[in-house]
Amino acid sequence: GYDSQYSDMYINGVQFNDAETGRFSYGLIGGLNDATRNKEGIGPFEINNFTFGAIGGASNINLRASQYAAGSKLTLSSSNRNYILRGMYTYSTGLMNNGWAFTGSLGYRWGNEGNIEGIKYNSFSYFLGAEKVFNDRHSLSLATWGTPTERGQQMAATEEAYYLANSHYYNPNWGYQNGEKRNARIVRQFEPSAIASWNFTIDDNKKLVTSAGFKYSNYGKSALGWNGNAADPRPDYYKKLPSSIFDVWESVPTADELQQFNEVTDNWKNNKAYRQLDWDALYFANKQANALGKETLYYVEERHDDQLAFNLSSVFNHQWNERNSYVAGIAVNTTKGMHYKKMKDLLGGQLYTDVDKFAVRDHGASSSMVQNDLDNPNRRIGEGDKFGYDYNIYVNKQSAWVRYQGNNGGSLNYFASGKIGSTQMFRDGLMRNGRAPLKSLGSSGTAKFLEGGIKAGLNWAINGNHSFTLNAGYEERAPLAYNSFIAPRIKNDFVRDLKTERIIGGDLTYNFNTPWVMGRLTGYYTRFQNQVEMEDRKSVV
């Protein structure tokens, strides 16, 4: 039941969670099911050789080429969901006599339209792994992969819209353009990644594994925009629904209102084009604006959350003797998140000025507060140009951890572990916004946080059929950069009184195995403190 930010995902021992949001995007490895099948999953207190362990558990995907069985595999699948056809081919040499191993995988997922209208899916995926085993002590592996994807999105609507469309699969994002379906919300994502890993077996009791990972994420999500006094083009905008014509609960409609109500209801139920986007009308409105030398009324923008990330991890494992061992590790991460908006399609329009339409409504067109970029006021925007906002978020993390584990030579096993680390984050604004002219351009200053945690646990095996396990831990985590800024598209302000988040947790498990039933009973407790609370605030006069 924990949020995904509390579960860590590792690939060859390198953490690949997004440093800003804390979450792992499974789109990073989409369509590579066979290549990513070698996976180890652990709970928050389970002993492992790659991490201190998050409260939501962790997984480690092994992409070393020597770990794949030699041979080929071809997979063809079909469904009626987001994509309707998937093909995958994987080939592995296994570890050859010359010490080399190679693995490659290709995948393609396609869907012209699944069970939701207006959605398309087009995704290619690739993976290439190579490993050289030099001798019994040293091996070096390299893995690289990517999944360029384009997919249409569905957007939630109101219950009224679902009722009128007679379908809970109704999607207001698309409409017809010259008789063809077009979705306004398209996600384009490509995250080429690579990992280099060195395994060093020092002797029979000591091993060092060091890995470095790189990721460049290009993520853009399009959306329909409108300018000036243009009417909201969304088909399920509340003023286009029958319920907006009169209050059906508290008022008696006039004859004209009742007639209009019936006409709108009939159109919604019986005219499919009426409840979808009218692209031809948007182009026509822009054509009229062009003829009058006025601003473009409708356009498609693309919001980007790109990212450049580098990760380094090194883990040392030492088996003292048959009863005692320890594992120690260090990890370093540096991430640059690039957030901006660009003009995707002017829909036949010719003139667009980079000002904030809501600020124009509130303060007037001549006010400096309407400028998204004060250093380039009233800038003309063409297709492909950045506008609206442009800023970077930098996050740097360093950590070290150690875990000792042992047993008393009999029925008792135990462990104790500790972690210490630090996080630094700051915003770098690339536009001086008119609503925050003194604190939108340049650096926000750096927020620094000291992190750490401790864990301990023991397992008591009463006999071969009954055992108890008791674990407890305490951790302090830096707040996520995603939650640490107020209106980051506009200004550099941090949330006031940012603190490290405190997590206290533990569990008690009874395992049993009888001739007629086996299972376990677990009770657990987790408490989260000092989290950042995000809420919508209304202006109070």
Side-chain angles (χ1 to χ4, degrees):
Y2 303 139
D3 189 272
S4 60
Q5 62 175 289
Y6 299 108
S7 298
D8 292 342
M9 177 64 77
Y10 290 77
I11 302 177
N12 280 9
V14 174
Q15 188 175 0
F16 267 79
N17 289 57
D18 187 308
E20 287 189 60
T21 67
R23 298 174 173 87
F24 176 75
S25 170
Y26 281 89
L28 181 73
I29 54 175
L32 296 172
N33 303 51
D34 293 331
T36 59
R37 194 174 300 279
N38 298 329
K39 183 187 299 184
E40 176 186 1
I42 63 163
F45 300 105
E46 287 188 65
I47 293 174
N48 67 91
N49 292 322
F50 62 92
T51 181
F52 172 77
I55 192 64
S59 296
N60 183 37
I61 299 173
N62 190 344
L63 296 184
R64 292 174 176 83
S66 64
Q67 302 302 303
Y68 294 86
S72 300
K73 182 178 181 180
L74 176 65
T75 301
L76 294 174
S77 307
S78 181
S79 73
N80 65 343
R81 300 182 70 83
N82 286 348
Y83 55 85
I84 62 175
L85 180 66
R86 180 183 70 177
M88 296 185 297
Y89 175 72
T90 302
Y91 174 73
S92 300
T93 64
L95 185 59
M96 299 182 289
N97 293 332
N98 60 4
W100 280 99
F102 297 94
T103 295
S105 184
L106 295 174
Y108 183 66
R109 293 170 291 167
W110 174 84
N112 185 41
E113 192 170 76
N115 58 340
I116 298 173
E117 275 196 286
I119 286 182
K120 65 177 182 179
Y121 201 102
N122 190 25
S123 177
F124 172 73
S125 54
Y126 66 88
F127 165 75
L128 178 63
E131 184 173 3
K132 172 64 174 178
V133 178
F134 297 97
N135 48 49
D136 292 339
R137 299 179 63 189
H138 296 278
S139 68
L140 183 66
S141 69
L142 177 67
T144 183
W145 69 94
T147 57
T149 300
E150 181 184 60
R151 56 185 172 88
Q153 288 190 308
Q154 181 192 21
M155 188 167 63
T158 63
E159 185 63 31
E160 180 182 8
Y162 290 131
Y163 166 76
L164 293 169
N166 195 30
S167 173
H168 274 81
Y169 294 114
Y170 167 65
N171 179 17
N173 283 346
W174 69 273
Y176 292 100
Q177 180 182 343
N178 295 326
E180 299 291 331
K181 292 180 180 179
R182 178 178 177 181
N183 195 318
R185 290 183 176 265
I186 300 292
V187 172
R188 293 176 176 86
Q189 179 179 6
F190 182 32
E191 299 181 272
S193 306
I195 291 181
S197 301
W198 171 45
N199 284 32
F200 177 26
T201 302
I202 302 171
D203 58 36
D204 291 342
N205 299 317
K206 302 185 189 73
K207 185 175 182 180
L208 178 68
V209 179
T210 302
S211 298
F214 168 84
K215 179 186 75 171
Y216 174 72
S217 173
N218 188 298
Y219 181 91
K221 181 169 63 176
S222 67
L224 190 62
W226 53 100
N227 194 19
N229 294 320
D232 192 321
R234 294 173 297 179
D236 60 338
Y237 180 51
Y238 79 97
K239 290 187 177 180
K240 297 180 180 180
L241 293 170
S243 59
S244 69
I245 298 172
F246 63 89
D247 190 334
V248 297
W249 302 107
E250 297 184 2
S251 64
V252 177
T254 65
D256 290 340
E257 288 176 334
L258 187 58
Q259 180 181 356
Q260 185 182 3
F261 179 91
N262 291 332
E263 289 176 354
V264 172
T265 300
D266 182 68
N267 279 325
W268 259 92
K269 288 185 174 183
N270 301 313
N271 185 351
K272 186 175 183 179
Y274 187 87
R275 55 180 182 260
Q276 305 300 153
L277 284 170
D278 189 346
W279 289 100
D280 294 335
L282 305 186
Y283 274 89
F284 180 74
N286 284 345
K287 182 178 180 181
Q288 289 185 312
N290 292 341
L292 298 174
K294 294 184 177 181
E295 291 274 325
T296 296
L297 294 175
Y298 299 101
Y299 57 91
V300 175
E301 63 186 37
E302 190 170 63
R303 303 160 188 167
H304 273 259
D305 295 298
D306 300 346
Q307 193 175 92
L308 185 65
F310 173 79
N311 299 273
L312 176 68
S313 173
S314 187
V315 177
F316 176 71
N317 191 318
H318 184 193
Q319 183 74 39
W320 277 348
N321 50 48
E322 293 181 356
R323 297 185 182 180
N324 301 281
S325 65
Y326 71 88
V327 182
I330 60 171
V332 177
N333 168 275
T334 180
T335 297
K336 176 185 178 182
M338 297 158 281
H339 307 274
Y340 58 92
K341 186 166 64 172
K342 72 177 184 179
M343 184 62 70
K344 184 67 177 177
D345 190 346
L346 283 168
L347 303 181
Q350 297 177 356
L351 176 63
Y352 183 85
T353 304
D354 187 17
V355 296
D356 184 85
K357 64 180 181 180
F358 299 105
V360 170
R361 182 189 62 191
D362 295 337
H363 304 285
S366 61
S367 172
S368 63
M369 296 185 70
V370 309
Q371 298 296 330
N372 290 319
D373 187 358
L374 267 176
D375 296 331
N376 298 282
N378 298 315
R379 183 166 60 101
R380 291 282 298 272
I381 300 299
E383 292 180 357
D385 291 341
K386 293 181 181 180
F387 74 107
Y389 59 88
D390 187 9
Y391 66 95
N392 298 326
I393 296 289
Y394 293 85
V395 181
N396 298 308
K397 301 175 74 70
Q398 311 84 31
S399 65
W401 57 276
V402 62
R403 182 182 61 253
Y404 163 77
Q405 55 215 38
N407 65 75
N408 66 349
S411 61
L412 194 64
N413 295 280
Y414 44 85
F415 82 92
S417 60
K419 174 184 177 181
I420 189 169
S422 64
T423 295
Q424 309 87 42
M425 66 181 75
F426 67 94
R427 177 191 184 273
D428 181 29
L430 303 179
M431 285 184 179
R432 189 158 63 95
N433 193 284
R435 285 158 288 173
L438 301 180
K439 48 185 178 181
S440 53
L441 183 68
S443 176
S444 63
T446 303
K448 302 177 182 179
F449 303 92
L450 181 65
E451 302 174 293
I454 55 174
K455 292 181 182 180
L458 59 87
N459 176 267
W460 176 38
I462 302 173
N463 52 46
N465 295 323
H466 302 275
S467 66
F468 286 93
T469 302
L470 176 64
N471 300 296
Y474 172 80
E475 183 179 2
E476 292 198 6
R477 291 166 40 116
L480 295 171
Y482 182 79
N483 298 329
S484 297
F485 295 91
I486 299 175
R489 292 181 177 182
I490 297 175
K491 55 187 179 180
N492 284 329
D493 286 354
F494 283 99
V495 172
R496 286 187 300 173
D497 197 28
L498 275 177
K499 298 178 180 178
T500 54
E501 182 179 352
R502 297 176 180 175
I503 304 174
I504 303 171
D507 61 50
L508 175 62
T509 300
Y510 165 56
N511 298 282
F512 57 92
N513 186 4
T514 69
W516 54 277
V517 66
M518 63 181 296
R520 71 177 186 180
L521 297 173
T522 299
Y524 70 93
Y525 174 83
T526 311
R527 182 176 179 84
F528 299 88
Q529 295 177 298
N530 292 348
Q531 292 179 304
V532 177
E533 182 178 357
M534 309 293 287
E535 62 181 22
D536 294 328
R537 297 177 182 268
K538 295 183 179 180
S539 299
V540 179
V541 179

